[in-house]
Amino acid sequence: PGSKRKEHILTLAENFDDFEYETICVGDLLSREVSKRSDASKKILEARKTYSYVDDDIVIDLVTKQINQYESEKKNWIIEGFPRTRRQAICLTKMDFIPDHIILIDVTDKLTKQRVKENLTSEEAQVKIEEDKIEKIIEDAVVEYNLNIEEVKDIYSGMISVIDGNKRQDIVLQEIARIIKLKVVNAPKRCPKIVLIGPP
């Protein structure tokens, strides 16, 4: 909700004729795992109760499987919400490829908190949180994001395109589309891979 990553890539997929990418939404991967009632699903639900990061092992496993599937099918893909930690970024780097574009949607803490609160208090909220705990959970979520994103930025130093996510959403969307269409100089001939990250 903070940077509206999922909304942006789904809108691109639906409205741009030349947007030929398979979308990987980490939140959806986690939700599917929850529906399986696996051991991992219990940890995912616990993390959602506090709006905190899911264990790296779980996220990396789910994302790796999905990426490997699209790679084997030689499909273009764009992933949102990964990597969110240093360990996830290192894992992505070790998978024998470097993303063509890493796009960071930068949003102020104030706007992030506002959007997260709207998400947590909406009728569609995945987990119902007691009202008196919401402010603390939001504050902790923003702190967790800010600490981790700096380590991700260090690993991909010089490779990240930053977009001002405080602007109108149609402007943000146009900027994402513009960056995705940019050709990477001397890039190998292969299916493009795009990473979209931003506040929770």
Side-chain angles (χ1 to χ4, degrees):
S3 53
K4 296 187 177 292
R5 300 180 310 263
K6 180 178 178 179
E7 290 92 332
H8 288 317
I9 64 170
L10 292 180
T11 301
L12 285 169
E14 292 172 1
N15 296 285
F16 286 75
D17 293 335
D18 55 352
F19 187 82
E20 300 175 352
Y21 290 86
E22 298 294 335
T23 57
I24 305 174
C25 299
V26 176
D28 290 346
L29 295 179
L30 294 172
S31 293
R32 286 203 291 270
E33 189 64 25
V34 168
S35 69
K36 296 177 183 177
R37 299 181 182 277
S38 63
D39 289 338
S41 69
K42 299 175 184 176
K43 295 181 179 180
I44 295 170
L45 288 172
E46 284 302 311
R48 284 182 170 176
K49 288 179 182 177
T50 56
Y51 212 76
S52 55
Y53 284 12
V54 175
D55 184 87
D56 278 337
D57 287 335
I58 295 172
V59 176
I60 289 171
D61 179 61
L62 295 175
V63 168
T64 299
K65 288 177 180 176
Q66 186 65 78
I67 288 177
N68 285 337
Q69 178 185 328
Y70 288 149
E71 286 291 297
S72 67
E73 297 170 353
K74 299 188 183 307
K75 292 181 176 179
N76 307 338
W77 52 261
I78 179 168
I79 184 169
E80 67 85 10
F82 184 95
R84 300 182 76 186
T85 67
R86 177 181 178 81
R87 188 175 168 205
Q88 290 176 16
I90 291 173
C91 172
L92 189 62
T93 302
K94 287 182 176 179
M95 289 177 71
D96 280 341
F97 61 77
I98 297 175
D100 295 273
H101 297 291
I102 302 173
I103 303 170
L104 170 62
I105 303 177
D106 193 31
V107 181
T108 63
D109 287 352
K110 181 179 180 179
L111 183 55
T112 295
K113 291 175 183 179
Q114 176 187 322
R115 289 175 174 172
V116 171
K117 185 171 184 177
E118 290 170 356
N119 180 57
L120 291 178
T121 55
S122 72
E123 292 296 325
E124 294 79 28
Q126 294 174 328
V127 177
K128 297 300 180 183
I129 297 174
E130 295 175 32
E131 189 173 345
D132 62 339
K133 295 181 179 179
I134 288 180
E135 294 298 332
K136 175 70 163 54
I137 285 174
I138 293 173
E139 186 67 35
D140 290 346
V142 171
V143 170
E144 183 177 39
Y145 167 77
N146 286 332
L147 289 173
N148 282 282
I149 198 62
E150 289 305 316
E151 295 188 331
V152 173
K153 286 161 69 174
D154 285 343
I155 291 176
Y156 292 115
S157 178
M159 298 172 58
I160 298 177
S161 299
V162 180
I163 293 176
D164 185 354
N166 304 292
K167 294 182 178 180
R168 285 202 332 260
Q169 295 309 295
D170 60 319
I171 295 176
V172 175
L173 192 66
Q174 290 171 10
E175 184 63 11
I176 293 172
R178 183 190 68 79
I179 292 172
I180 288 176
K181 292 177 182 178
L182 291 175
K183 300 296 182 183
V184 180
V185 178
N186 298 323
K189 292 184 177 180
R190 55 166 171 72
C191 299
K193 312 160 201 313
I194 311 295
V195 169
L196 185 65
I197 52 179

